[in-house]
Amino acid sequence: YASFLNTVERNSFANCSSLNHLTLMQNNLTTIPSGSLETLNNLTRLMLPMNGLTSLSQGSFSGTVVEELDLTWNLFTTWNEFWIYPLTFTLKNLNLGHNRISNLSPTSFNSAWGVEELRLTDNPLQNLSPDIFRPLVNLQTLYLADCHLTEIIPVWFAGKPALRILELDNNNIRDLPVNVFDVSTLVHIG
């Protein structure tokens, strides 16, 4: 925490195989190099908020079983589906809030089909594809508050039988399409 850490080397955690929670908060990290966490076979919670992360490698999380990944308050401007590919079967909570993400490709979350909670709060999202959330079949909670959204596309929520919580506060949405929230499991819309 606040150690001014600049890099994580490949064998930095070589003797920490029992570690299940790692917090590298408020440092100067700009990326997590491929293989740098590969000896952390029991790592389920990885907290990397308040760094200067702008990108990741496809192998950034190789060898881990991360279920909760906190990447808030970094400098991401986009999200690449391959960055979390090793976590396809384990990742449940992905927090990308308070970054600079404006553009997401329709495939940005193709490797995140196990995610149950996605937080995109406070990102200047633009022109989201109708298919952006389609791969998230297990999604229960979606945070899109403070994202500069001007519209809601009903198909964003289609095929989400577990969606219970949807946060849309502080956007620029003027109209709600007919049946936009055609999800019988929703218990909260904010």
Side-chain angles (χ1 to χ4, degrees):
Y1 187 101
S3 298
F4 305 105
L5 183 66
N6 291 312
T7 59
V8 176
E9 299 294 334
R10 187 173 185 95
N11 290 315
S12 295
F13 300 102
N15 297 315
C16 300
S17 61
S18 296
L19 191 67
N20 62 29
H21 183 159
L22 176 61
T23 299
L24 298 174
M25 178 179 176
Q26 202 171 349
N27 286 288
N28 298 320
L29 299 173
T30 57
T31 191
I32 303 297
S34 182
S36 59
L37 305 174
E38 68 186 1
T39 59
L40 300 177
N41 307 61
N42 293 303
L43 188 65
T44 58
R45 295 184 72 210
L46 181 56
M47 307 294 140
L48 298 168
M50 295 186 222
N51 280 286
L53 294 170
T54 57
S55 69
L56 298 168
S57 301
Q58 182 171 346
S60 290
F61 309 113
S62 292
T64 71
V65 289
V66 172
E67 296 175 4
E68 181 178 356
L69 179 58
D70 184 349
L71 296 167
T72 55
W73 297 102
N74 278 289
L75 302 174
F76 292 105
T77 58
T78 190
W79 185 253
N80 185 315
E81 68 180 293
F82 298 109
W83 291 344
I84 58 166
Y85 181 73
L87 305 178
T88 298
F89 299 105
T90 61
L91 190 62
K92 302 292 181 223
N93 297 329
L94 177 59
N95 193 340
L96 298 172
H98 308 283
N99 276 281
R100 298 176 182 176
I101 299 171
S102 58
N103 295 308
L104 292 169
S105 82
T107 62
S108 289
F109 299 112
N110 278 4
S111 296
W113 60 265
V115 167
E116 296 172 357
E117 182 175 305
L118 175 62
R119 292 176 180 256
L120 289 166
T121 303
D122 194 24
N123 278 291
L125 300 176
Q126 299 173 5
N127 305 317
L128 291 180
S129 162
D131 296 325
I132 189 66
F133 303 118
R134 185 178 309 264
L136 303 171
V137 296
N138 295 308
L139 194 63
Q140 296 175 18
T141 306
L142 178 59
Y143 290 88
L144 293 170
D146 297 300
C147 287
H148 306 257
L149 297 175
T150 58
E151 66 178 341
I152 299 175
I153 301 175
V155 296
W156 286 348
F157 316 119
K160 305 288 175 281
L163 187 62
R164 297 178 46 79
I165 298 171
L166 179 60
E167 288 291 343
L168 295 165
D169 317 34
N170 297 318
N171 280 294
N172 299 314
I173 300 164
R174 302 267 183 238
D175 298 305
L176 292 177
V178 174
N179 293 325
V180 66
F181 304 115
D182 191 15
V183 180
S184 63
T185 54
L186 276 172
V187 295
H188 175 86
I189 299 172

